Amino acid sequence: MQKSDGMNYAPEGKPQPVCKPGQFTFAAIALDHGHIYGMCNGLTRAGATLKWVYDPDPAKVAAFLAKFPQVRAAESESQVLEDPEVRLIAAAAVPSERCALGLRAMEHGKDYFTDKTPFTSLEQLAAAREMTSRTGLKYMVYYSERLHVESAVYAGRLIKEGAIGRVVQVIGTGPHRLNAPTRPDWFFRKENYGGILCDIGSHQIEQFLFFSGCKDAKVAQSKIANYKNKQFPELEDFGDATLIGDNGATNYFRVDWLTPDGLGTWGDGRTIILGTDGYIELRKYIDIARTKEGDHLFLVNHEGEKHFAVHGQIGYPFFGELILDCLNRTEIAMTQAHAFKAAELCLIAQRDAVRVE
């Protein structure tokens, strides 16, 4: 598992199949972001059968087949979309192209599972909302910094059990290492990546909604900047925002592309969740100067102080739940309203952000 580069970070986890081989078949289309590997790892370890891969770049396909040798390389996108065995399309396209691919997948009767950010414009979001409403198909999103992080999964369980009472604030930090020479050209074009709050900010907003139980929120303030990387004028290497949830909970988050080379992973992602009866801190990917292993959860409540090192202990239930949701037409893994609301709020935060220097 690559920990120095967030673009190629792909957690694997233990097999936890929820279906029999061949019962749930999916395909991978568009390999523009390395998150496709984490998405496919999650689904296959939950029992899904990965049948096809398609990308117009033969080098990307060859690399994918090296990881998933059982998969067949399709000659075209239509060959995949027209296969009646395929129930779901997993994709990590250029962000500005993710919605159009999702609409094509749903037009062919497939559920869709895209890397974050799912949209780069509110117009795209409106089109996806209309399509899901009309077809009943799913437009699910890989919000990996909660769904593919065991400490975050465990935090959700503790909150549900009442370990810290009512959640009143979530503070999130999402630093990332730029690794500019390894990035594709589209990464530096705002039209393609959508802006930093739209892109990696989507993780932060989604986890706030989930941990706080909010159905909606207002963006109170947001800021963006390019502090260090002036050679890439369309890149934003810093962003932050404050949100107020519909249940009174508040959120502050900061995201950036400023992780120093000396850190032992691609980003020191942290989350602090304050409740009326305690608080939780997550050190997701590293505990600096102590251990390079991630998934540390610190809990303080009326019973005392506790530290849980949960790496390899919890698993990633989202993927099995998603498979069962697709088979049973339920919404256990994530509701469509939640996936879209997180996307909407990050688009609004990006649209209304104040530029600072």
Side-chain angles (χ1 to χ4, degrees), residues 253-327:
F253 72 85
R254 179 260 294 170
V255 288
D256 65 75
W257 291 105
L258 301 173
T259 292
D261 292 340
L263 185 71
T265 187
W266 54 267
D268 185 12
R270 299 196 185 195
T271 305
I272 299 175
I273 308 163
L274 176 65
T276 53
D277 294 307
Y279 62 91
I280 289 170
E281 179 185 347
L282 308 180
R283 301 180 188 177
K284 294 181 177 180
Y285 307 113
I286 193 171
D287 192 7
I288 56 170
R290 291 171 57 87
T291 173
K292 291 186 178 181
E293 184 171 85
D295 287 310
H296 296 271
L297 185 150
F298 299 85
L299 168 66
V300 181
N301 60 15
H302 299 304
E303 297 176 4
E305 309 165 3
K306 296 180 181 178
H307 169 224
F308 301 91
V310 298
H311 181 73
Q313 305 300 313
I314 305 300
Y316 310 109
F318 168 82
F319 300 94
E321 292 169 352
L322 176 59
I323 291 169
L324 294 175
D325 280 347
C326 292
L327 291 172

Side-chain angles (χ1 to χ4, degrees), residues 51 133 252 345:
K51 181 177 181 180
S133 177
Y252 170 80
L345 291 169

